[in-house]
Amino acid sequence: KKDNNRIMITVESNLEYKIWYDNEKILCFIGNSYINITLFNYFRQYRICEIYRIEEIENNTNEWFNNRQFITASASVSLKTYIVESLKKHNPHYFSVISSRNRIGNNVTIGHGTYISDFNVILDNTIIGNFVVLTHYATLSHCVEIKDFCHIGPGAYILFSTLGTGSYVSAKTNVLGKTSQPICTADYCNYLIGSTITKNIILPGTYHSNRKLNDHTSLTVKID
């Protein structure tokens, strides 16, 4: 809110995050997404932080990039992919942010540039890739792998499954593999709210449960 031409920021004091892969350099958030703004406002209490649009920084020098570490946390798979590809020439270091209010098991792998919000259950031996967003109240159960650039919506339940790169999993979606029949899905698929996936998804597109609705992928259409 504004007061006498000053911007006043209200910080949610009940938030608590940890940084993974921290190299102690400036924290730089790329993109004005809701997640990035929330994290920027939280960490600026404790660390030197910056937030930019991709257009403001992509042509900066390698020295500028070497003095910072980065994250781009967004629900848009296409935006995250574009940002990471645009900055690849600078070989930036990406950090991850994980809320302290999660249940994380043993031998869990979490990649770089990944954001994990509150109240998720991540069981033993789960693999979470780079540039993933895991929102709230999701359960990643036995033998789960979430590949790079995925977005996992609130209340999702994933069991004995491997989600392809760039999957957008909407709220309350279930991916229900079995010990004897694990599920693998194609890259860059969208899954609508309340879907239940019970078999392999071979072709990219937008799905409601096992039924393909159209050829739009998470790179061409952002669903809610």
Side-chain angles (χ1 to χ4, degrees):
K1 61 185 178 178
K2 240 181 203 182
D3 180 23
N4 296 328
N5 297 318
R6 293 181 300 165
I7 301 295
M8 301 181 66
I9 298 173
T10 301
V11 176
E12 296 291 340
S13 59
N14 60 333
L15 298 176
E16 185 179 349
Y17 296 111
K18 295 181 180 179
I19 298 175
W20 286 30
Y21 313 115
D22 187 4
N23 64 8
E24 305 296 333
K25 295 181 181 179
I26 296 169
L27 302 177
C28 189
F29 300 87
I30 313 171
N32 292 325
S33 68
Y34 174 83
I35 298 172
N36 275 346
I37 292 170
T38 298
L39 295 178
F40 171 75
N41 285 335
Y42 174 82
F43 282 111
R44 71 199 295 262
Q45 303 172 96
Y46 315 109
R47 300 278 293 270
I48 298 174
C49 295
E50 299 169 347
I51 187 166
Y52 299 102
R53 293 179 294 112
I54 180 63
E55 296 83 1
E56 296 175 299
I57 65 168
E58 59 185 331
N59 294 319
N60 285 351
T61 64
N62 286 339
E63 182 180 5
W64 186 89
F65 278 92
N66 290 338
N67 289 326
R68 289 160 176 80
Q69 54 184 328
F70 300 86
I71 193 169
T72 175
S74 168
S76 173
V77 173
S78 61
L79 177 61
K80 286 189 295 185
T81 303
Y82 172 76
I83 289 172
V84 170
E85 286 298 314
S86 296
L87 299 184
K88 186 182 290 185
K89 60 187 177 185
H90 299 291
N91 193 30
H93 175 82
Y94 290 98
F95 64 95
S96 293
V97 176
I98 291 92
S99 169
S100 298
R101 295 181 293 184
N102 288 293
R103 192 282 195 197
I104 299 179
N106 296 315
N107 196 33
V108 170
T109 301
I110 298 173
H112 288 74
T114 286
Y115 168 64
I116 299 178
S117 190
D118 311 279
F119 310 123
N120 298 289
V121 176
I122 304 171
L123 296 188
D124 296 359
N125 305 311
T126 296
I127 300 172
I128 299 173
N130 304 311
F131 313 112
V132 170
V133 169
L134 182 61
T135 58
H136 309 279
Y137 299 105
T139 299
L140 308 184
S141 196
H142 305 289
C143 299
V144 169
E145 181 175 359
I146 309 298
K147 292 194 175 180
D148 297 350
F149 294 102
C150 286
H151 178 88
I152 310 299
Y157 181 77
I158 303 173
L159 173 69
F160 292 112
S161 299
T162 298
L163 292 188
T165 298
S167 299
Y168 189 104
V169 176
S170 296
K172 299 182 179 179
T173 289
N174 300 312
V175 187
L176 302 178
K178 301 176 182 177
T179 311
S180 58
Q181 192 175 0
I183 287 174
C184 292
T185 69
D187 296 342
Y188 302 110
C189 288
N190 290 316
Y191 300 99
L192 300 183
I193 291 174
S195 291
T196 297
I197 295 102
T198 57
K199 64 180 183 179
N200 289 342
I201 301 296
I202 299 171
L203 299 175
T206 294
Y207 288 79
H208 184 264
S209 296
N210 297 325
R211 183 166 64 95
K212 185 177 179 181
L213 302 180
N214 55 58
D215 292 329
H216 291 305
T217 70
S218 61
L219 293 176
T220 59
V221 171
K222 180 184 177 300
I223 59 175
D224 293 325

